[in-house]
Amino acid sequence: MKAYEVRETTGLDGLHLNVDRADPVPGPGQVLVRMRAAALNYRDQGVIKGAYGYTKFPVIPLSDGAGEVVQVGPGVTAFKAGDRVAGTFFVNWIAGRIPPDASKNSLGGMVDGVLAEFVLLNETGAIKLPDHLSFEEAATLPCAALTAWHAVVEAGRIKAGETIVILGTGGVSCFALAFAKMHGAIVIMTSSSDGKLARVKALGADMTVNYKQTPDWDLEVLKLTGGAGVDHIVEVGGPNTLAKSMLAIQPGGSIYVIGALGGTGAIDPRAINRKSIRLQGIHVGSRDMFAAMNRAIAKARLKPVIDCVFDFADTKAAYAYQASGSHLGKIVIAIP
Ligand SMILES: NC(=O)c1ccc[n+]([C@@H]2O[C@H](COP(=O)([O-])OP(=O)(O)OC[C@H]3O[C@@H](n4cnc5c(N)ncnc54)[C@H](OP(=O)(O)O)[C@@H]3O)[C@@H](O)[C@H]2O)c1
């Protein structure tokens, strides 16, 4: 079969197409999936550059993909040939609390990922797709959508009329917008681009702030909320934006600590305790959360925001496009 492999951490030069990789055969408890689409996450840039801590080399990259089951191994009862499935980001987080070794068990990290014609998944690491989604749409769910769902719904229990700031307009942020609007929240979205802000307004954002033109976006959020601040913040920016998030949040509000786009650094604990802020770490989510999210997506017939779809042969161009930061929502790779 054909599969991409990250062989060394030299950026795109270390990413190779292997056209002659052995076809996988499902063992006990495994399903063999013919992949039809995959999607890029910010983390996948880190994998090719050696900036993502938990990676083996060579590794088949990407955690997010969707396809159809072509064969099941002995003992498999939950799936049959023809089922449309995605893999779960963590191979070993089924339910409950995150296992201590989850980071060492993620697809496209220390476990081979989905940028291949065929992928073996554990029966417990596969999940059926919402019927109304194409493979390309469903490929965006395992990391980006689930991270947003975990933050906004599972941890945040967001309610109608509550306010939320969502930083940026990438994959996680566009899903956070969709889930917040699904629950009737009032959304303030930030971006470096007015063009992107116009697009998220059309997708339902109530208010927007350009964080490049208005570096003190936290003060702008206070202004937009009559001085009150917001109930929730989806924090993909990291410590360079966290201090501002702690200003823009209401006393007792919740900040979902998801990413570190602006680098890592120190935070001041006094700002946390004086406002009794909840800082909630989010690491993708469990298979149980994925199932709950899929039920909601199916009921609402929600469609992921896809910026563009690249051919499998143009995978390197997809990575380069993501690195340019031009995208809004998800970048997908179609697998022939
Ligand atoms: N903890 C987890 O489980 C988890 C899961 C998924 C992702 N993440 C993290 O979440 C972040 C986003 O991931 P993604 O896959 O959604 O990325 P993505 O699709 O590549 O989107 C990144 C977007 O972030 C925005 N951005 C960049 N710098 C920013 C800043 N200083 N302040 C506010 N926004 C900024 C940009 O939006 P504009 O172009 O609109 O400015 C950019 O488009 C990354 O740090 C990633 O590692 C964490």
Side-chain angles (χ1 to χ4, degrees), residues 244-283:
K244 289 183 179 299
S245 287
M246 292 198 285
L247 203 119
I249 196 84
Q250 281 190 19
S254 301
I255 300 175
Y256 311 105
V257 181
I258 292 175
L261 290 163
T264 55
I267 53 171
D268 181 353
R270 289 168 302 179
I272 303 168
N273 58 43
R274 284 177 189 161
K275 282 173 88 173
S276 296
I277 295 168
R278 176 168 69 132
L279 284 187
Q280 173 69 56
I282 299 290
H283 202 181

Side-chain angles (χ1 to χ4, degrees), residues 45-223:
Q45 296 284 338
V47 170
I48 61 169
K49 291 177 193 148
Y52 186 73
Y54 299 96
T55 323
K56 62 160 184 147
F57 298 101
V59 68
I60 297 176
L62 307 196
S63 55
D64 288 12
E68 63 211 340
V69 173
V70 287
Q71 199 184 337
V72 298
V76 170
T77 55
F79 299 100
K80 58 180 186 332
D83 283 346
R84 292 160 21 98
V85 297
T88 59
F89 183 90
F90 295 115
V91 175
N92 64 340
W93 190 8
I94 313 296
R97 290 190 184 182
I98 187 167
D101 57 348
S103 297
K104 294 182 182 157
N105 284 284
S106 65
L107 295 178
M110 286 180 84
V111 180
D112 277 329
V114 299
L115 195 54
E117 288 178 316
F118 293 96
V119 168
L120 277 182
L121 298 172
N122 291 336
E123 182 179 25
T124 51
I127 193 156
K128 285 184 186 157
L129 307 180
D131 288 340
H132 72 290
L133 295 184
S134 68
F135 287 116
E136 289 170 2
E137 290 164 341
T140 66
L141 301 180
C143 176
L146 186 54
T147 301
W149 174 266
H150 184 178
V152 174
V153 184
E154 298 275 345
R157 306 256 166 235
I158 200 162
K159 293 181 188 61
E162 289 186 337
T163 47
I164 180 167
V165 162
I166 298 170
L167 300 181
T169 58
V172 171
S173 302
C174 284
F175 275 113
L177 168 63
F179 296 139
K181 291 314 294 180
M182 184 191 274
H183 288 80
I186 299 161
V187 177
I188 303 174
M189 226 145 155
T190 76
S191 175
S192 55
S193 149
D194 282 345
K196 290 184 181 181
L197 289 177
R199 287 165 68 194
V200 292
K201 269 212 151 173
L203 292 168
D206 298 277
M207 290 167 268
T208 57
V209 183
N210 184 318
Y211 66 80
K212 276 266 150 55
Q213 285 165 18
T214 311
D216 289 333
W217 57 265
D218 45 336
L219 300 179
E220 188 62 21
V221 167
L222 291 179
K223 225 187 275 174

